[in-house]
DNA sequence: GTTGTTGCTCTCATTTTGAGACCAGCACTA
DNA sequence: TAGTGCTGGTCTCAAAATGAGAGCAACAAC
């Protein structure tokens, strides 16, 4: 057995054991990844990594998100501790969302993936076209 | 304006311009991220990063995935060029899935996030508990 | 008083996912 | 020879997530 592979295998075994116990909520990676892998999470994290935004600003920034999903995605990110929600007593009251330290720390890691995506999206797109063509 | 922030802002502006054009399929990051942010994609990539797996092996490895979603997720990953699907003419025929070079390259980037998740899942979990408690 | 702005929530239609039955082809077994 | 199991799927139907859009309260500006 290759040693470079042992740690990944162990993670999976731990995962399996947890599933066997009926509690897959103990798989660390899924605990975290499931909640930032929503359709809109990455986009919102990207925006908030730039600077704090108000609700309406985010809505205008990502025009194809529904208000419902914007509310819900922000609340999920807040629940996991990535995003801070602050209400300002203006009239009408405004709400500002910003990254927490935890969120910023996580963003530093997910940013690698974003950079990869920027640099390699043509290849992905090409693969997709080829696959679809072969499927005819 | 802080210079460290300019590139993120530009990406978002590019994104907005594309949306304005009616084509948000040109946003590089979404093109890539949407398809690996599925519920099961990360888990399967993790497994396949370790070594190639057969369909049934993956099924046993991730017991709480339905056969239907396993098929579909693998096909999506294959379509984007991350995963190679090879049929062996055994009886009954077996199918092996493995990471392509593109998939491995992408995995190197997403792995940062997985490591972060391993190291910080307690904090996420704690934030979640606190949020839920405050919500009473 | 009419309209606009804020950040939501509620309802309902559509889409995605989950659970499980079914399938073909061959091997092994009784 | 009939039964059983293994392979990697697909098909159907229920459940869950999402999208589209209306409604809402309170106050400002006109």
């Amino acid at each position: 057995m290759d040693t470079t592979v042992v740690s990944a295998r162990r993670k999976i075994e731990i995962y399996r054991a947890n599933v066997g116990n009926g509690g897959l909520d103990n798989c660390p990676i899924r605990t975290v990844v499931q909640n930032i892998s929503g359709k809109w999470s990455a986009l919102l994290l990207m925006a908030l990594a730039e600077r704090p935004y108000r609700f309406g600003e985010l809505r205008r920034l990502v025009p194809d998100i529904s208000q419902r999903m914007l509310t819900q995605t922000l609340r999920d990110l807040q629940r996991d501790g990535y995003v801070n929600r602050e209400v300002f007593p203006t009239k009408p009251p405004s709400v500002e969302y910003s990254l927490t330290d935890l969120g910023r720390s996580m963003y530093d890691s997910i940013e690698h993936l974003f950079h990869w995506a920027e640099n390699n999206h043509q290849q992905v797109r090409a693969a997709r076209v080829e696959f679809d063509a072969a499927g005819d």
Side-chain angles (χ1 to χ4, degrees), chain A:
Chain A
M1 186 190 297
D2 187 347
T3 49
T4 65
V5 132
V6 169
S7 74
R9 178 183 299 257
R10 273 207 50 224
K11 290 173 208 165
I12 291 171
E13 280 172 357
I14 290 168
Y15 164 76
R16 293 185 66 181
N18 287 329
V19 167
N21 292 340
L24 74 169
D25 47 10
N26 283 328
C27 174
I29 292 182
R30 277 182 82 173
T31 295
V32 172
V33 173
Q34 293 271 39
N35 286 281
I36 59 186
S37 71
K39 181 168 181 179
W40 304 105
S41 311
L43 216 52
L44 295 180
L45 286 170
M46 239 178 73
L48 293 175
E50 184 201 345
R51 66 165 178 83
Y53 275 96
R54 300 227 319 262
F55 186 87
E57 287 181 304
L58 285 171
R59 195 164 146 52
R60 285 186 290 275
L61 196 62
V62 187
D64 58 338
I65 192 175
S66 67
Q67 217 162 346
R68 189 183 162 285
M69 285 316 291
L70 182 53
T71 300
Q72 186 176 316
T73 305
L74 286 170
R75 212 181 300 288
D76 289 347
L77 293 175
Q78 186 196 355
R79 189 172 103 102
D80 281 10
Y82 303 127
V83 161
N84 190 265
R85 178 180 185 271
E86 194 173 357
V87 181
F88 292 95
T90 57
K91 292 156 195 172
S94 60
V95 180
E96 189 181 271
Y97 293 90
S98 56
L99 281 196
T100 62
D101 288 345
L102 188 67
R104 205 164 296 282
S105 153
M106 188 272 281
Y107 187 81
D108 290 343
S109 292
I110 208 177
E111 206 179 14
H112 289 97
L113 179 62
F114 293 164
H115 286 138
W116 187 92
E118 255 191 318
N119 297 329
N120 298 87
H121 66 103
Q122 289 96 342
Q123 293 180 64
V124 173
R125 212 182 289 261
R128 217 172 279 177
V129 168
E130 189 185 358
F131 182 91
D132 291 347
D136 288 342

